[in-house]
Amino acid sequence: MAIHPIDYRYGTPEMRSIWSEEHRFTCLVRAEIALAHAEAEVGMIPSDDAKIIEQNALSASLLRAKEIEAEINHDTMAMIRAISEVCGDAGRWIHYGATSNDILDTATGLQLKDAFTTLEKKLVALLTVLLDRAGSTKSLVCSSRTHGQQGVPTTYGLRFANWASEVSRHIDRLRELRPRVVVGQMTGAVGTMAAMGTHGIEVQAAMMKYLEIGSVDVSSQVISRDRYAEYIFMLANIATTLDKIGVEIRSLQRTEIGEVEEAFGKKQVGSSTMPHKRNPIKSEQVCGLARIVRAMIEPALQNNTLWDERDLTNSSCERITFPEATILCDHCLKLMTGVLENLVINQENIRRNLLMLHGITLAESVMIELTRRGMPRQDAHEIIRESSMEALAAGKPLAEILSAKHDVVKYVSAEELVGLLNPDAYIGLAEVQVDNLIRKLATYCSL
């Protein structure tokens, strides 16, 4: 019986698979195989036995390990015995010199390696969509909004480009973080490597080389959890960007604004009682799940404050934080990529909103030109501010109000005011910035 929504509602098959119980068990077995291989390489155990372990260990059964655990109440030792059973006499070397977390944390490193690969692909896919959208809308002039109020014009291309730039930084962070997080250890009971004599450093290096992951410099009995806290924070940071995009889409889809809209299926239902509804449910889902991912930061930080060389308070917590945070972040990445790829853009409503205030949003343009032609900047600001308030109160075009003011027309003619209050002529270098960003980030999308 499924209980958690990850089991039946949220998550991609590929990321759920990485954090599945079956794959976790496989990673644990792989870590034990790598340990035997490394110890044979340095002469600690017979090479023939290491080969037998390598050939047979992966046939160990998760079900059998669970049966053993029910008897002995220790999951790692149950796994060790399950592997030993399928390796015959060579099974005597399974887990030789290791402590539980050497295998547990190294298995986590293998899972994180797969997770990083999947997340990077999803981030690149999202970036590709955003850059495509930025390029196709770089000249689509629209209203900007600060504090929820219309400001000077911007373009949809610049809006998409801002999101693309943010996503590219997440890719940078992921690539920078990977070598700090995708690591394993083989340091023994409290990190001294005593059980391996003089071979500890060699064994750890050979083991991680075999698994193709990084190696800690030092550890206690566990890998320091600052690494994992940084990973969880990265997921929360990514989820927050997706939340930010979702909030904007939801705002722009409001009936009174209506500039964009999530794609709506032919037979899709928006409400059980209001048949007309077309709700931004995917963006809302992203915004909601982002809260859960962010909530994982506090336990991830607390997992680093363990007693002495270690205690077990992190273990139960990480069984939840790793899969939940990663699967939900990955889910949100895929969902938001689809939303943006299929986003409907209503140019008619964009234009309507842009012209709604009859030039008042272009007040800065006139102020700048008056100052350029000789009026003190603060005087220009005040006269344009007063004229804008007057135009708003009277419901008149700003050009009409300004044309009647002698202090304005002695610097700028009525005909020139029309040009200065044209929103299409006041987008600055928005198009150039978009083009520059697309060129800069093109290499990210060629993976």
Side-chain angles (χ1 to χ4, degrees), residues 1 8 12 53 71 112 131 160 204 231 331 351 364 400:
M1 178 178 66
Y8 58 87
T12 64
I53 292 170
E71 297 174 359
L112 288 168
L131 291 177
F160 286 122
Q204 178 173 267
Y231 170 72
H331 172 84
R351 196 68 185 176
E364 180 193 69
E400 181 179 331

Side-chain angles (χ1 to χ4, degrees), residues 52-103:
I52 291 172
I53 292 170
E54 189 167 8
Q55 291 165 359
N56 294 283
L58 285 172
S59 66
S61 165
L62 172 61
L63 179 61
R64 177 57 183 148
K66 286 186 171 184
E67 290 173 351
I68 299 171
E69 184 182 355
E71 297 174 359
I72 68 173
N73 199 30
H74 193 289
D75 58 349
T76 304
M77 194 62 196
M79 176 269 298
I80 294 166
R81 290 187 181 181
I83 299 173
S84 298
E85 288 178 353
V86 300
C87 292
D89 292 341
R92 65 189 289 262
W93 298 112
I94 299 295
H95 208 67
Y96 182 58
T99 191
S100 294
N101 265 84
D102 288 325
I103 303 304

Side-chain angles (χ1 to χ4, degrees), residues 203-219:
V203 169
Q204 178 173 267
M207 180 179 173
M208 302 316 153
K209 181 180 179 181
Y210 181 87
L211 293 171
E212 297 181 326
I213 62 176
S215 183
V216 299
D217 296 316
V218 294
S219 73

Side-chain angles (χ1 to χ4, degrees), residues 324-345:
E324 277 202 6
T326 310
I327 290 171
L328 293 179
C329 183
D330 176 74
H331 172 84
C332 289
L333 274 168
K334 183 176 181 180
L335 199 61
M336 185 52 70
T337 300
V339 167
L340 290 163
E341 191 170 25
N342 298 296
L343 192 68
V344 177
I345 297 178

Side-chain angles (χ1 to χ4, degrees), residues 266-315:
K266 186 176 181 180
K267 294 186 178 181
Q268 186 173 336
V269 175
S271 168
S272 63
T273 188
M274 294 177 283
H276 68 283
K277 297 295 292 299
R278 295 163 68 98
N279 302 327
I281 59 171
K282 293 179 180 177
S283 294
E284 289 174 334
Q285 185 181 126
V286 168
C287 294
L289 293 177
R291 299 171 186 174
I292 304 300
V293 179
R294 281 193 293 268
M296 299 296 167
I297 291 176
E298 180 64 18
L301 289 170
Q302 290 189 6
N303 285 341
N304 196 34
T305 57
L306 306 179
W307 286 8
D308 303 316
E309 272 59 57
R310 70 89 41 103
D311 59 48
L312 204 60
T313 54
N314 65 292
S315 178

Side-chain angles (χ1 to χ4, degrees), residues 55-347:
Q55 291 165 359
N56 294 283
L58 285 172
S59 66
S61 165
L62 172 61
L63 179 61
R64 177 57 183 148
K66 286 186 171 184
E67 290 173 351
I68 299 171
E69 184 182 355
E71 297 174 359
I72 68 173
N73 199 30
H74 193 289
D75 58 349
T76 304
M77 194 62 196
M79 176 269 298
I80 294 166
R81 290 187 181 181
I83 299 173
S84 298
E85 288 178 353
V86 300
C87 292
D89 292 341
R92 65 189 289 262
W93 298 112
I94 299 295
H95 208 67
Y96 182 58
T99 191
S100 294
N101 265 84
D102 288 325
I103 303 304
L104 296 174
D105 285 357
T106 299
T108 297
L110 292 173
Q111 290 178 284
L112 288 168
K113 178 183 177 183
D114 293 338
F116 267 83
T117 299
T118 301
L119 288 168
E120 183 169 2
K121 289 178 181 177
K122 297 282 176 60
L123 284 166
V124 169
L126 175 59
L127 178 61
T128 301
V129 171
L130 285 169
L131 291 177
D132 181 67
R133 282 292 196 176
S136 64
T137 61
K138 67 179 182 180
S139 303
L140 179 56
V141 184
C142 63
S143 299
S144 69
R145 294 171 183 85
T146 62
H147 306 277
Q149 309 298 305
Q150 287 196 13
V152 296
T154 185
T155 72
Y156 261 86
L158 192 58
R159 186 171 285 152
F160 286 122
N162 266 293
W163 296 338
S165 181
E166 194 163 325
V167 170
S168 76
R169 290 191 292 278
H170 289 314
I171 296 173
D172 290 339
R173 293 181 186 106
L174 181 147
R175 292 172 179 172
E176 178 187 306
L177 182 58
R178 191 193 314 255
R180 288 200 292 275
V181 173
V182 180
V183 296
Q185 70 167 20
M186 183 55 216
T187 59
V190 293
T192 64
M193 299 182 173
M196 291 177 287
T198 59
H199 295 294
I201 292 173
E202 293 176 85
V203 169
Q204 178 173 267
M207 180 179 173
M208 302 316 153
K209 181 180 179 181
Y210 181 87
L211 293 171
E212 297 181 326
I213 62 176
S215 183
V216 299
D217 296 316
V218 294
S219 73
S220 55
Q221 194 183 97
V222 298
I223 290 176
S224 295
R225 264 47 191 172
D226 67 294
R227 300 173 187 267
Y228 299 155
E230 193 175 6
Y231 170 72
I232 297 294
F233 187 84
M234 179 192 72
L235 297 179
N237 207 356
I238 292 170
T240 298
T241 294
L242 302 176
D243 184 8
K244 171 183 179 177
I245 296 172
V247 166
E248 184 68 2
I249 290 172
R250 290 165 55 203
S251 176
L252 293 172
Q253 191 168 331
R254 289 174 184 267
T255 304
E256 295 81 3
I257 298 177
E259 294 187 8
V260 304
E261 183 179 0
E262 283 188 10
F264 200 81
K266 186 176 181 180
K267 294 186 178 181
Q268 186 173 336
V269 175
S271 168
S272 63
T273 188
M274 294 177 283
H276 68 283
K277 297 295 292 299
R278 295 163 68 98
N279 302 327
I281 59 171
K282 293 179 180 177
S283 294
E284 289 174 334
Q285 185 181 126
V286 168
C287 294
L289 293 177
R291 299 171 186 174
I292 304 300
V293 179
R294 281 193 293 268
M296 299 296 167
I297 291 176
E298 180 64 18
L301 289 170
Q302 290 189 6
N303 285 341
N304 196 34
T305 57
L306 306 179
W307 286 8
D308 303 316
E309 272 59 57
R310 70 89 41 103
D311 59 48
L312 204 60
T313 54
N314 65 292
S315 178
S316 55
C317 185
E318 288 171 352
R319 292 174 195 262
I320 296 169
T321 56
F322 277 130
E324 277 202 6
T326 310
I327 290 171
L328 293 179
C329 183
D330 176 74
H331 172 84
C332 289
L333 274 168
K334 183 176 181 180
L335 199 61
M336 185 52 70
T337 300
V339 167
L340 290 163
E341 191 170 25
N342 298 296
L343 192 68
V344 177
I345 297 178
N346 191 325
Q347 297 196 26

Side-chain angles (χ1 to χ4, degrees), residues 341-400:
E341 191 170 25
N342 298 296
L343 192 68
V344 177
I345 297 178
N346 191 325
Q347 297 196 26
E348 183 178 332
N349 286 351
I350 290 171
R351 196 68 185 176
R352 179 202 68 200
N353 294 334
L354 183 64
L355 302 177
M356 180 186 296
L357 295 179
H358 306 293
I360 292 175
T361 58
L362 276 298
E364 180 193 69
S365 171
V366 181
M367 180 193 72
I368 292 296
E369 187 61 20
L370 288 174
T371 302
R372 192 181 70 82
R373 296 193 183 189
M375 182 182 290
R377 192 269 181 195
Q378 311 313 328
D379 293 345
H381 183 281
E382 183 60 19
I383 195 170
I384 297 302
R385 186 193 67 80
E386 290 177 349
S387 298
S388 297
M389 298 305 105
E390 185 180 344
L392 280 170
K396 294 181 179 180
L398 181 59
E400 181 179 331

